[in-house]
Amino acid sequence: MTPDLEKVLIPSEDIQLKVRELGAEVTRDYAGERPLLVCILRGGVVFLGDLMRAVDLPCEIDFMDISSYGAGTSSSGVVRILKDLEEDITGRHVLIVEDIVDTGLTLSYLTRALLARKPASLEVCSLLTKPSRRKVEINVKYLGFEVPDEFVVGYGLDYAGAYRNLPDIGVLKPEVIGGGAQA
Ligand code: PRP
């Protein structure tokens, strides 16, 4: 464990177990289909890598990169597409793969934008949720863990670009983040 962590919140073994459960659910629900897993860069990339290998179906992957305008590290709700999908999702079964739903503003924008492209279905799979921070309701069909309102890093989640490669999810020491907010 890096000395910058105050504590481990979700150890790697628990994450891996949960990812396998989620993969089994997706496999069951999309049986006979060829879902498109849409990873939201960059935080979702570690989760996608594990989740897709727990899905026992032919599936495809694609990526979107979005950025919220606004100062600081908090989501503002105004979202800009930096990199769009390569695939046409019209008539496809699309599953958005996210690392964390915080205020919900990113996914609220994104689901509206993707629904306008007329997919056959659109669902969300998020490893983490921070319900205490929610500003808009989001229907997360596949959910890993609820986390408290603390700054969490690891397994894709960063602080100032670092810590995404930690296998566990943990909370940084306050002196490391200096009062910054998540996302
Ligand atoms: C995080 C996370 C979600 C978003 C959630 O991304 O991956 O996309 O914030 O926040 P919200 O529910 O309040 O909208 P971030 O902007 O930190 O980018 P990153 O994934 O590249 O680290």
Side-chain angles (χ1 to χ4, degrees), residues 73-155:
T73 48
S74 285
S75 300
S76 65
V78 184
V79 172
R80 184 163 57 115
I81 295 179
L82 299 177
K83 184 215 170 292
D84 207 338
L85 297 173
E86 303 295 326
E87 300 298 322
D88 176 4
I89 62 167
T90 310
R92 299 292 308 267
H93 291 284
V94 176
L95 181 60
I96 299 176
V97 178
E98 262 285 25
D99 52 347
I100 188 165
V101 185
D102 189 25
T103 62
L105 292 169
T106 303
L107 274 179
S108 165
Y109 170 87
L110 204 61
T111 50
R112 268 181 286 126
L114 294 185
L115 280 172
R117 302 180 193 183
K118 307 258 185 287
S121 68
L122 181 68
E123 300 292 351
V124 175
C125 178
S126 182
L127 184 67
L128 305 179
T129 182
K130 252 188 203 177
S132 58
R133 298 248 312 157
R134 202 71 95 247
K135 288 186 181 161
V136 285
E137 265 328 297
I138 292 291
N139 179 29
V140 181
K141 183 165 184 185
Y142 306 97
L143 177 65
F145 304 94
E146 270 190 31
V147 289
D149 190 8
E150 295 185 278
F151 202 106
V152 291
V153 296
Y155 199 74

Side-chain angles (χ1 to χ4, degrees), residues 2-24:
T2 160
D4 292 352
L5 280 192
E6 185 175 77
K7 61 185 171 195
V8 169
L9 216 50
I10 314 171
S12 164
E13 301 74 43
D14 294 3
I15 299 172
Q16 294 303 327
L17 266 178
K18 184 66 79 178
V19 171
R20 281 202 286 278
E21 279 174 31
L22 292 171

Side-chain angles (χ1 to χ4, degrees), residues 41-42 64-69 79-84:
L41 296 169
R42 294 174 233 175
M64 274 184 104
D65 194 5
I66 53 187
S67 138
S68 47
Y69 288 107
V79 172
R80 184 163 57 115
I81 295 179
L82 299 177
K83 184 215 170 292
D84 207 338

